């Protein structure tokens, strides 16, 4: 392929599609490729040729044959090829996404977020209230955690055992014991690249096609996604907004079938910020005991509890049941990017021996989790808990919670239950007042109009178009501006 011939054909194809250089750059970014302005300029001007993966991308977005684009196919041959395609005589193989993804969503990083990225690429500043990522809002990792990681880096160059470093697992085991989780040994601890990896691993090891798992609605959507990808069916039980977003026990009971293998609880809850009291947890345990199902408990926010409330691990109430408890440091130590989480097996492990073999197999296959991040678990869990200063009166998370709760409820047409934990609030919008029938459209309209990025309730497997999640990590002055802009938007918004 010659530079000049490639350049000529590239320019022709871009003209035919009506695409400019900046359009190619944006499309590349959307497809996970990095093409800088200088790169595309060099391709267009015939100064250099692209790598094979970039060539294939260009051919795809320009709807041309890659062989023609690089000059290995004459124009008359490409015309014949196009005629064959138009007539249906197309021998070209196409590749589609797996059908397993048909019922999977992850709108925390989905279409609305893609639109925000496009706007940012155009130079628009967007306030991101869509994801629980503390670092961009000025929350810092404790100094001792960073110092300890630095000092141990040279000792973390190789793999650890598949479950993780002894020091990390020992600290996690002791943490679990302090939470009164029964029957836990160091062999019951698995470290992971965040809780997300372990959710995926735990579902993949458990489910056969058609198996059912009870998952809350609203949920953290990765749970539903991982159940689905493993071949199972996520059956959503309702969390009741009128009862402080606690799980509806009667709804749980009504949705158990002979295919139900497990129930998932998220406590403290994302996206509602609810904290489940001991009495509610005991009712869930009673149901699980009656129907002999496993319990998966996502407790990543267990150290972000306010108002002097106590977080209770459901596994501590179920010594006779098999439980898997998930937690990590991403939120409590403001190190989401370090990717360190864990899961703890507890209770009656004799009924899950084969499942545990499956967990071990999958854990071995991924070799190990991030070793430098594992190296600071002992320090993080055993040292000063700086997060405690954020969740009391005068602390940032507490005061921002107080502000956002009042500010949202002061907006006509918006109501919200006060969260007791984490840093999320899940307000309700009066759909009749604003004629809202599509909550994703509402989120997109707000983004385009006011440059505020939130995630609609449907992104958390909530069926009605009447909720959205707000992350209240920004400082109060930013939240103040955001809620004023939202209030202004709602003075004229109708779908």
């Amino acid at each position: 392929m010659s530079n000049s011939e490639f350049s000529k054909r590239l320019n022709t194809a871009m003209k035919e599609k009506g695409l400019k250089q900046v359009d190619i750059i944006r499309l590349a970014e959307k497809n996970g490729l990095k093409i800088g302005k200088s790169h595309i300029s060099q391709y267009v001007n015939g100064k250099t040729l692209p790598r094979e993966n970039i060539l294939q991308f260009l051919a795809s977005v320009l709807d041309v044959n890659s062989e023609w684009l690089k000059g290995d196919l004459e124009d008359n041959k490409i015309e014949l090829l196009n005629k064959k395609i138009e007539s249906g005589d197309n021998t070209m193989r196409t590749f589609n996404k797996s059908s397993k993804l048909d019922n999977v969503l992850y709108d925390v990083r989905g279409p609305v977020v893609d639109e925000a990225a496009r706007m940012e690429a155009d130079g628009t500043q967007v306030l991101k209230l869509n994801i629980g990522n503390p670092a961009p809002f000025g929350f810092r990792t404790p100094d001792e955690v960073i110092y300890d990681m630095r000092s141990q880096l040279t000792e973390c160059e190789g793999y650890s055992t598949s479950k993780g470093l002894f020091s990390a697992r020992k600290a996690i085991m002791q943490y679990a014991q302090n939470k009164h989780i029964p029957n836990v040994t160091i062999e019951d601890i698995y470290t992971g690249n965040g809780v997300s990896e372990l959710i995926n691993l735990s579902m993949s090891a458990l489910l056969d096609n058609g198996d059912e798992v009870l998952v809350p609605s609203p949920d953290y959507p990765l749970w539903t996604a991982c159940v689905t990808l493993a071949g199972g069916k996520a059956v959503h039980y309702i969390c009741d907004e009128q009862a402080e977003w606690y799980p509806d026990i009667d709804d749980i009971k009504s949705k158990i079938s002979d295919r139900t293998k497990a129930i998932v609880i998220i406590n403290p809850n994302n996206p509602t910020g609810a904290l489940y009291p001991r009495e509610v947890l005991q009712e869930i345990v009673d149901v699980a005991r009656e129907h002999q199902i496993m319990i998966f408990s996502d407790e990543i926010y267990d150290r972000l509890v306010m108002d002097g409330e106590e977080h209770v691990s459901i596994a501590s109430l179920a010594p006779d049941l098999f439980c898997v408890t998930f937690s990590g440091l991403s939120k409590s130590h403001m190190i989401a990017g370090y990717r360190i989480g864990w899961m703890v097996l507890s209770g009656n492990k004799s009924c899950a021996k084969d499942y545990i073999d499956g967990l071990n197999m999958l854990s071995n296959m991924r070799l190990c989790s991030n070793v430098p991040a594992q190296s600071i678990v002992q320090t993080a869990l055993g040292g000063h808990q700086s997060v405690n200063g954020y969740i009391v009166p005068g602390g940032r998370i507490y005061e921002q919670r107080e502000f956002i709760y009042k500010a949202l409820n002061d907006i006509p047409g918006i109501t919200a239950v006060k969260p007791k934990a984490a840093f999320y609030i899940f307000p309700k919008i009066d759909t009749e007042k604003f004629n809202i029938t599509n909550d994703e459209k509402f989120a997109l309209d707000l983004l385009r109009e006011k440059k505020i990025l939130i995630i609609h309730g449907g992104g958390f497997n909530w069926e009605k178009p009447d909720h959205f999640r707000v992350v209240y990590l920004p400082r109060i002055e930013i939240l103040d501006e955001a809620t004023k802009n939202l209030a202004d938007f709602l003075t004229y918004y109708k779908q």
Side-chain angles (χ1 to χ4, degrees), residues 298-326:
D298 185 343
E299 301 180 1
I300 187 70
Y301 299 97
D302 69 342
R303 278 145 287 165
L304 286 158
V305 172
M306 290 171 275
D307 305 324
E309 298 276 359
E310 175 196 16
H311 176 267
V312 177
S313 285
I314 193 169
S316 68
L317 307 177
D320 57 322
L321 302 179
F322 181 68
C323 301
V324 185
T325 304
F326 301 82

Side-chain angles (χ1 to χ4, degrees), residues 128-182:
K128 296 179 179 177
L129 303 180
N130 66 306
I131 192 165
N133 188 17
F137 300 107
F139 289 93
R140 300 269 67 90
T141 305
D143 288 342
E144 63 176 344
V145 169
I146 295 175
Y147 295 152
D148 274 22
M149 181 179 281
R150 283 176 179 167
S151 68
Q152 297 181 87
L153 271 178
T154 55
E155 300 169 25
C156 299
E157 294 169 347
Y159 297 128
S160 70
T161 59
S162 61
K163 292 183 181 180
L165 295 172
F166 177 85
S167 63
R169 291 159 64 211
K170 183 75 171 179
I172 295 163
M173 183 189 78
Q174 291 169 340
Y175 181 77
Q177 290 170 343
N178 287 335
K179 301 276 290 186
H180 308 294
I181 297 177

Side-chain angles (χ1 to χ4, degrees), residues 257-300:
S257 75
D258 57 1
R259 299 304 302 268
T260 306
K261 274 197 169 179
I263 183 169
V264 172
I265 71 162
I266 304 171
N267 177 42
N269 188 264
N270 174 12
T272 66
L275 178 71
Y276 302 159
R278 186 181 295 269
E279 305 81 59
V280 170
L281 296 174
Q282 185 61 60
E283 288 186 90
I284 295 172
V285 168
D286 292 343
V287 173
R289 181 176 291 126
E290 179 184 351
H291 295 277
Q292 298 185 49
I293 58 177
M294 292 168 51
I295 297 174
F296 291 96
S297 186
D298 185 343
E299 301 180 1
I300 187 70

